[in-house]
Amino acid sequence: VSLFLVVNASLRASLDDTVDNQFRGDVVIDSGGTFVSGGLPGEIAEDVNALPTVDAATGIRFGFAEIGGTPHGMRAIDPDTGFDLFDIEVAEGDVSGLDEDGIAVFAGEAEANGWELGDEIPVVFGETGDIPFTIAAILARRDLTGPYVMGIDAFEANLPDIGDAQIWVRLAEGVTVADARPGLEAVVTTFPSAEVQDTEEFKAAMKAQYDVILVLVNALLTLTIVIAMIGIVNA
């Protein structure tokens, strides 16, 4: 229980740090699906970007591919807006190169594999097979992007059945979440599971996922105490 409480507190603190210090926005639209299935079609992020109350928005997608014979999580964001919304440190290269065959790699991953900017690496997808990608950027941190990130166009070409798990939004200057919420909710009205959340609501929803495990662990602790009391009585 003590171990889980420590891990739980660490996860919550990490989430708070990511949202508060690395996201330059105000609203998250959660698809309500899992990270690697379903999601919102790309047109929704485009419609959100077109709203007068919105300054910028980007969808985030999650999938899996094989690189160097090892399965890896693959994330995708819109290179035109995503790197402006998130504080992602680019060590080398240019994220505008995340086109249909460009990929960004975490510096530690590149070093471990002996890769440099401009190198071509094979990425194997379940549907399209072995596709060569060129390292367009090397990232100094991975907490938001993971070890590999590509543009939405490349992701859609190779993992077409996965939509945006979330759409992260920065509102126009002077616009409050209360002002923007009706318009944002209207865009996703045909997707009942989608939910428009401000940053505090989003953090609370993410943290709530850990609460179920916490309840289970405490239930096991209670059971352990009951068994111990029976043992003492028997003794």
Side-chain angles (χ1 to χ4, degrees), residues 67-68 105 109-111 113-117 119 121 135 138 148:
I67 301 176
V105 180
E109 196 76 16
E111 183 179 353
N113 289 278
W115 297 333
E116 296 181 353
L117 190 68
D119 285 355
I121 62 175
I135 300 178
I138 294 179
Y148 300 97

Side-chain angles (χ1 to χ4, degrees), residues 34-37 61-67 70-76 103 122-131 133 142 145-150 154-163:
T34 63
F35 281 152
V36 293
S37 66
R61 302 187 184 189
F62 303 87
F64 290 95
E66 185 179 288
I67 301 176
T70 304
H72 287 278
M74 185 70 64
R75 303 192 188 190
I103 191 170
V123 182
V124 183
F125 298 93
E127 293 196 24
T128 56
D130 191 332
I131 306 294
F133 275 80
R142 55 171 289 172
T145 63
Y148 300 97
V149 60
M150 59 177 55
F155 191 95
E156 200 164 59
N158 295 287
L159 295 165
D161 298 327
I162 302 176

Side-chain angles (χ1 to χ4, degrees), residues 19 23-29 53-56 85 167-177 180-181 184 196-202:
V19 176
F23 173 46
R24 305 187 186 112
D26 311 281
V27 174
V28 179
I29 302 175
T53 55
V54 171
D55 179 47
L85 284 171
I167 300 174
W168 295 66
V169 183
R170 182 175 63 212
L171 301 178
E173 188 175 354
V175 177
T176 66
V177 175
R181 192 183 293 270
L184 294 171
V196 177
Q197 304 167 323
D198 63 25
T199 54
E200 292 303 318
E201 291 168 339
F202 173 72

